[in-house]
Amino acid sequence: NVIVSAERIQGGQCFLLVNEKIIVMNGDEMKIFDKQSGSLQIAKKLQSSPRGSMAISKGGHLLTCAFNSNSIYVYSLAGEFIRSFGEKGSMSGQLDGPMGLAVNKEGHLFVAEHNNHRISVFSDNYEFLYSFGFKLQYPQDLCFAPDGLVYVAGKFNTCIQVF
């Protein structure tokens, strides 16, 4: 059982469970709670206001979407800013409205781009590799199944698309 009270995470934009910690993002603030006791361990203002999902990189960094600045922000699990990458556009490696993040077994970062209607894939060093799904309708989030298939949910779709 998780003891973190609903009041403490009320309004939390998204949360993630990592190594016995619960990470909650709300606006430009990150809070980290202990899973067992529910105690607040870290409260930190972030360099961006994340909008969308979070993911943990193969190297153990927290990745967040910055929808309005068309970037991905990379933080330590203590909330320290490491770097960001991305710029607005529709060319290879550019982002427009990143919303969803997922990391596969190889450490590749998959980004659901809401406004580019596609998924862009980056290496574990955040270098652009390729894009796919160019006809997606406003993809918002994605996740991986154990078999490696990626499931994508769109804003107006009535189905989940599988790649």
Side-chain angles (χ1 to χ4, degrees), residues 89-163:
S90 59
M91 303 298 290
S92 295
Q94 295 179 323
L95 301 170
D96 194 356
M99 290 282 296
L101 300 175
V103 176
N104 70 5
K105 290 184 265 186
E106 290 78 31
H108 296 155
L109 172 64
F110 287 61
V111 180
E113 292 186 67
H114 186 77
N115 297 331
N116 275 338
H117 309 282
R118 68 183 182 195
I119 307 299
S120 287
V121 183
F122 296 84
S123 73
D124 58 353
N125 293 320
Y126 313 118
E127 296 171 9
F128 176 75
L129 297 174
Y130 61 93
S131 295
F132 66 92
F134 294 95
K135 298 293 183 181
L136 293 168
Q137 290 188 354
Y138 301 101
Q140 293 210 301
D141 213 351
L142 64 159
C143 67
F144 285 96
D147 61 6
L149 292 175
V150 62
Y151 289 72
V152 180
K155 184 173 183 178
F156 301 114
N157 293 355
T158 58
C159 64
I160 302 292
Q161 292 181 289
V162 182
F163 296 90

